[in-house]
Amino acid sequence: MSAVAKQGSFFNKIKAMVAKTGRSIIWRGRSQDNDISEKIAQKIQKNSYDFSQQFHKDTYTPPYLSLVEQLEVDDEQIFQAAVYNLANIAIARSRYGQDIVNIFDNYLQKDSHKLERKDYVAHKLYEIRKSEKK
């Protein structure tokens, strides 16, 4: 029995050694991998400080307002693209729809614009109002 007990204890020692070795192979010193160098730490701190010193806007400007400026451009293609995109925004986003309808109405009331442009805006305004009724 003592020979069997010695053999069992020998196997237990081998199992313990393999278990320790397996853990160290799998672990591979990950705590050291998470350590960062002093240069990297300084760079992170500098970037964080620079970001904290930047001016952040407190107001929100809707994205369609940048397209409104393009209604006054002489290039016909840019004008039509602006009207087309504004109309699509008004149809897709009901929260901006009324503002865009007001912009189109104001555009149609001005006498200084060409008749072809007014017709195009009126057509898109009709599409917006048609989609609101659905």
Side-chain angles (χ1 to χ4, degrees):
M1 277 264 212
S2 66
V4 174
K6 286 182 183 178
Q7 192 177 18
S9 107
F10 177 72
F11 285 123
N12 288 338
K13 287 181 183 179
I14 291 177
K15 285 181 186 177
M17 189 175 8
V18 169
K20 282 183 182 179
T21 307
R23 272 187 249 127
S24 66
I25 289 173
I26 294 171
W27 182 252
R28 292 185 190 211
R30 290 181 192 240
S31 63
Q32 293 174 355
D33 290 342
N34 292 335
D35 293 341
I36 58 174
S37 70
E38 184 178 345
K39 284 185 179 182
I40 294 173
Q42 287 174 350
K43 191 173 186 178
I44 291 170
Q45 287 176 339
K46 182 183 179 310
N47 289 341
S48 177
Y49 176 77
D50 290 343
F51 183 74
S52 70
Q53 297 302 315
Q54 288 178 350
F55 175 73
H56 300 287
K57 293 194 313 183
D58 292 336
T59 59
Y60 171 73
T61 304
Y64 67 87
L65 290 180
S66 62
L67 291 173
V68 173
E69 298 170 359
Q70 295 177 1
L71 295 177
E72 303 301 325
V73 176
D74 290 334
D75 188 1
E76 192 66 29
Q77 188 175 10
I78 294 173
F79 169 79
Q80 287 184 358
V83 172
Y84 175 82
N85 288 325
L86 283 169
N88 285 340
I89 291 171
I91 292 170
R93 303 283 182 159
S94 59
R95 111 179 172 190
Y96 301 135
Q98 190 58 42
D99 291 338
I100 294 173
V101 167
N102 292 339
I103 290 168
F104 284 170
D105 282 335
N106 290 338
Y107 186 86
L108 292 174
Q109 290 174 1
K110 293 181 184 177
D111 293 331
S112 61
H113 300 296
K114 296 178 185 176
L115 186 59
E116 297 85 23
R117 287 185 171 200
K118 285 185 175 184
D119 288 342
Y120 188 69
V121 171
H123 175 68
K124 290 298 181 181
L125 189 58
Y126 172 75
E127 288 180 5
I128 293 169
R129 290 189 172 140
K130 183 180 169 184
S131 71
E132 288 175 351
K133 292 179 183 178
K134 288 183 181 181

